[in-house]
Structure formats: structure tokens, C-alpha cells
Amino acid sequence: MAKKKRYLTATMADGYVKTIGPTAAPFTHFWRIVAVLDNGKTEVFWGHSKSAKEALGKKTALAEAAKKRAWASFAFEVVELRESPAAAGGGSGGDPIA
């Protein structure tokens, strides 16, 4: 029997909302890195994981990544995913970061 597909939504501290799905994957957490480059531009990296431990494990390599990519600074966040009834904001899209 096929697993039930669901939509998952993450709401970051700055109000950014990311909805993924429909998915049957057992994701529980969403992580995001917002890196500020030396020229003032930003790069955003994101993903989802099957546990808080897995998501927080991404932080381990950040110092090396920041040095290798010459980031001026970066912010790393992890939030719990919440099941939502339908795609809010267009499926895998999200609201832009202000």
C-alpha cells in the first residue's frame, strides 16, 4: 500500500515560509543557510531532513564552507516541519527573504 502523501511547511524566524510536497518521505525538519558574500550579495542553501540531529549535523561543516566560499558571514537555522492540508504558496516555492 502506498504511503499517504502530505504537504510540509516550515516557518522561519524571519517569516519566510517554505512548503514542500506532496511527499511521503518522513521529513521532520527544515534547515537553511543564508550566506552573505564579500560583495554584499546573498546565497541561500536549504534542505530537509529526517531528524533534528541530521539537520543540526549540517552545522558541522559550515566553518569550512564559509572559508572555502569566502562568505563574509552566514546564518544557520533549523525548524520543525508542520503538516499542512494543502500547498500554501505554491508547493516547493516560498516567500522571498526580505
Side-chain angles (χ1 to χ4, degrees):
M1 185 167 151
K3 290 184 179 181
K4 177 185 170 192
K5 294 196 178 209
R6 58 200 176 123
Y7 287 92
L8 301 170
T9 302
T11 303
M12 307 307 281
D14 63 359
Y16 177 83
V17 176
K18 178 72 172 177
T19 300
I20 60 171
T23 182
F27 297 130
T28 61
H29 288 77
F30 175 84
W31 57 267
R32 178 179 73 172
I33 301 165
V34 179
V36 178
L37 309 179
D38 286 333
N39 62 7
K41 293 184 179 183
T42 58
E43 290 184 346
V44 178
F45 304 89
W46 61 268
H48 25 73
S49 57
K50 297 177 184 176
S51 70
K53 183 178 180 180
E54 180 184 339
L56 291 169
K58 305 291 180 196
K59 192 172 185 176
T60 306
L62 277 178
E64 185 177 325
K67 188 185 297 185
K68 184 176 181 180
R69 294 174 180 258
W71 294 342
S73 64
F74 63 89
F76 178 71
E77 296 176 85
V78 175
V79 295
E80 188 174 359
L81 288 165
R82 305 256 182 236
E83 191 167 340
S84 53
S92 63
D95 296 331
I97 297 174

